[in-house]
Amino acid sequence: MDARLTPVMQQHAAAKRQYPDAIIFFRLGDFYEMFGDDAVLAAPLLDLTLTSRNKGKPDEVPMAGVPHHSAHGYVARLLEAGHRVALCEQMADPTKVKGIVPRQVVRVITPGLVTDGEQLDSRSNNWLAALEIGGATVGVALLDLSTAELRAAGFSDLSAVLGELSRAGPREVLTGFATEETASSLTRTEALTALGAALPLAAVRADSDLDPAQTSSELGELAPDTEHLDPAERAAVRRALRFARACNPGSPLPVRRIVRWDPASFLAIDTTAQAHLELCSSLMGGPASTLLKVIDATRTSAGSRLLKRRLLAPLVEVARIRRRLDLVELFVVHSRLRSQLFSALSGVGDLERVSVRAALGEATARDLGLLRDGLEAAGRTVQLLEQIEDPNLRETLGLGSLPELSGDRQPVITVDTAEELRRELDLALVERPPAQPKDGAIFKRGFDHELDELDSLRRAGTEHMIALEARYRNETGIPTLKVRYTRVFGWYLEVSRSQAARAPAGWRRKQTVAGGERYTNPELDELAERIETAEQRHRERELELLATLVSRAASQSEPVCALSARLARWDVAAALADVAHRFDYCRPEVDNSSVLEIRDGRHPVVERQIAQGRFVPNDVHLDIEAERLWLVTGPNMAGKSTLLRQVALTAILAQMGSFVPARSAHIGLVDRVLSRVGASDNLAQGQSTFMVEMSETAQILHCATRRSLVILDEIGRGTSTFDGLAIAWAVAEYLDEAIGCRALFATHYHELTALSEQSQHVANYSVSAQELGDDVVFLHRLVPGAASRSYGVAVAKLAGLPEPVLARSRALLAQLENQSDSPAVKHTRPSREHPQQLSLFAPPAATPPAHAHVIDLLRALDIDNLTPMEALQLVARLKREL
Ligand code: ADP
């Protein structure tokens, strides 16, 4: 203890010692104050003025404060900046203790442990990830305190972990190491850097080492659940729990079980594919044009969280997928039931999170009101479905059985327990209880006799005051005399300045204000005291009743969460059915076959962005055993990327258990979706585009299996023509011969189409365009065979290249095409033995060297990325060269 500090600052120092990583919000009356380094750090982030405490004294410290009732906005901003905030509260009523009020940290809020509804995105989970790196397995635990969910899994290496974490999108990552070196022999710093780079939105921190001796005490009642976990997974779980407990010293954690998830039971969508396919966020940023956005018609928060999770982690088990599809189909067929369900569900709100806040002891009266309303809507929903008699429908809906609860430690969930709680809440609470007790009544009259009496007392007191005012006016003859109350001054008598002389001698002057004089007298003081006491006791009784009700709600939090999970499944199925109905999706046939056949398939997002009915549907038929690799050619803007992406999105939708935008679809299970798109599409990142492109391609070739779906859009574009073509060629060959997976390969290298002559598994398709004079019309229709030409000049015209440049380009093109008809540069089918026969590699013997150079320049030209000025300069240069 530092004797130079005042007792209050000693309390602060103790809190800081206990939570050195957190900014301490130290409660002093109506404010949270920050001191020392915390104040210096936070003041600029929160636009606060930095002042100081004990100014001029030896223990002067910087200080900044925020009003306690508006604290959560400030807390949110500090979390946003990646900080942790410890709330150090007054543990007793300052008016009742002699000397210094005891203070204690009751809660540390960190980005990964937010439970406040206003700070959470209701449509996403808020994960804290804890990692244990070092052994043969990397253990991962994901904890969402706001929904009381805890999941664990093990991975063979850090890169697999990164892929998994990027789908979960944790807000905070705690990284611990079992040994000095990590499994992939990265140092601790390297591992942390890799995590930070892969998860730009998360606060990534190194956590202290775990003490192996403490295992069971830290796991508490969850210990039995961890028996089937790998040691690294158990360590990760311990790390998450230890952290959450340390941050919530005042309340037990509401987590009741650990769900182990096996990464192999989900369709892997690599990080790049998640981004390129714009599943949950678009490349331009924001959720505007994402797949999630177009399929999320859910009515409850838990439903929309579940939908998002399913979209990012579709299944790879036929039976489970079919069960989900059955439920969607049920709601497609029974459209009346669907709309009834929707209207019942729309009152459910966020039952899950409200109930977990109760379990954490953090629920406000307002939360309890929401819980009551949510339970009522939930009851209506269950009743609606319970009326159904058809046993098949009941089975599909999961009624009667409780598949979500397994294991003997789970209590039996009945709607009755929830109904009982709803009735209790309903008896107690007013229609709209306030978040803060000071903002109005919480309890109905008649609910608690004592509370009603205290209320009558304080009301009687106030009426007494009004009577007193009338009497004093009479007695003094001051008609403007007023009895008033303010929070700071309490009750007083106010007399205007001109009348002040008439105030009785026995009155004590309390304060002089602009409008007049303020007085008190013994009679007023005594009455004020009686009112204050009644107020105080009323407040206490209200808080007492509230605490009882919160703990009642807490005791039911587990069944309520189970009920919410059940509703969420119905919600998701009905939402997908609604989308299927409105946008004409079909039920996909999913099995273990080798095909991927889509008839009249559409891109679910693009079709909504263009005029209705304008999207041109296309057929795709890939088969591992037959044509598995399609080379797709066609001019820029014809719709190649759209086609590629729509195939991947259709497979993802089907395997998450959704209907798909097509006339029919047959999906033989896919185990991974891997993709990479053209270099020019992520130029913004400012990295060497070719390097990025190649490392993404490398990743794909390493991860793909025979069951994967690979989508490659314009690879090799980031380098010179020869290199690019050579690499694209080799990659396509490798995909076909070494991996043998289903793949779509869009390319502008027409030479590549010769691959189909080399392999029976490769086929050429093109997205057609039609020439009308010098113009081009995109038909967006996929047809067999390679594109005959690239329409580059026509596209250049569309883009606004000046007419003289276009004319000159046409002339040059004609010339070049004539030359390439000469035998020496004729396209020849390359073979493995004679790769030098590939046209581009052929020596330009028949062409004069200057011409050859001009041809090379033109071939290497990326018209898409050419400004009109550059085009003109190029034409000038070409002319010079000739
Ligand atoms: P590419 O990859 O061939 O350059 P894109 O796939 O980017 O072409 O498509 C260009 C534009 O054409 C898209 O933004 C979309 O508006 C439109 N488009 C693509 N496919 C279709 C289609 N099947 N039906 C209607 N419009 C389409």
Side-chain angles (χ1 to χ4, degrees), residues 5 59 136 160 175 284 290 402 466 508-509 518 568 652 657 685 735 818 853-854 882:
L5 295 178
D59 58 349
T175 315
M284 310 305 280
T290 63
L402 296 163
I466 295 167
R508 187 160 47 81
R509 188 167 21 220
R518 291 176 175 179
I652 288 172
Q685 294 175 357
L735 275 178
N818 282 340
H853 192 213
V854 168
L882 289 171

Side-chain angles (χ1 to χ4, degrees), residues 606 610 614-616 618 635-642 780:
V606 174
I610 61 181
R614 292 295 299 279
F615 193 91
V616 180
N618 275 307
N636 280 314
M637 291 299 290
K640 299 184 296 298
S641 335
T642 306
H780 303 303

Side-chain angles (χ1 to χ4, degrees), residues 109-364:
I109 308 169
T110 81
L113 294 176
V114 174
T115 51
D116 179 353
E118 283 179 38
Q119 288 178 35
L120 289 166
D121 171 6
S122 65
R123 302 190 160 259
S124 302
N125 275 104
N126 194 72
W127 296 115
L128 166 89
L131 309 186
E132 183 71 9
I133 305 177
T137 308
V138 181
V140 175
L142 286 173
L143 170 70
D144 183 346
L145 190 61
S146 70
T147 57
E149 286 166 285
L150 178 58
R151 299 148 67 78
F155 297 86
S156 55
D157 59 51
L158 198 58
S159 72
V161 173
L162 294 181
E164 204 57 31
L165 287 187
S166 70
R167 46 170 138 196
R171 287 270 319 264
E172 188 169 4
V173 183
L174 299 178
T175 315
F177 299 89
T179 54
E180 250 333 292
E181 285 225 321
T182 67
S184 33
S185 71
L186 294 173
T187 63
R188 293 184 174 206
T189 320
E190 283 166 341
L192 285 167
T193 310
L195 282 164
L199 303 166
L201 299 178
V204 178
R205 295 185 176 88
D207 198 31
S208 54
D209 293 335
L210 293 171
D211 174 3
Q214 272 187 357
T215 314
S216 52
S217 67
E218 266 169 357
L219 293 169
E221 59 169 349
L222 291 168
D225 268 13
T226 64
E227 272 159 21
H228 53 287
L229 297 183
D230 171 282
E233 294 168 26
R234 204 175 307 134
V237 165
R238 277 177 60 206
R239 190 176 293 290
L241 289 175
R242 184 179 66 166
F243 182 68
R245 289 219 176 89
C247 291
N248 290 272
S251 49
L253 286 186
V255 179
R256 293 281 165 273
R257 60 198 174 117
I258 302 171
V259 177
R260 182 171 195 279
W261 97 94
D262 175 9
S265 58
F266 298 102
L267 171 64
I269 308 174
D270 71 329
T271 323
T272 347
Q274 275 170 47
H276 292 160
L277 296 173
E278 305 188 302
L279 297 181
C280 294
S281 65
S282 65
L283 287 173
M284 310 305 280
S289 53
T290 63
L291 180 60
L292 180 63
K293 181 87 183 164
V294 303
I295 58 168
D296 190 358
T298 55
R299 299 299 205 264
T300 69
S301 304
S304 82
R305 291 194 288 270
L306 180 63
L307 183 76
K308 184 175 178 185
R309 266 155 74 164
R310 286 189 179 174
L311 174 58
L312 289 174
L315 301 173
V316 288
E317 192 192 318
V318 172
R320 280 182 74 191
I321 295 170
R322 286 193 184 150
R323 270 203 300 278
R324 286 188 186 173
L325 287 169
D326 287 344
L327 191 56
V328 176
E329 185 171 333
L330 182 149
F331 285 116
V332 168
V333 174
H334 300 271
S335 57
R336 219 174 88 84
L337 183 66
R338 184 174 79 234
S339 53
Q340 285 171 330
L341 180 76
F342 274 159
S343 60
L345 282 175
S346 57
V348 169
D350 206 338
L351 206 50
E352 184 178 44
R353 277 184 172 158
V354 171
S355 152
V356 169
R357 277 205 289 282
L360 281 163
E362 284 170 6
T364 62

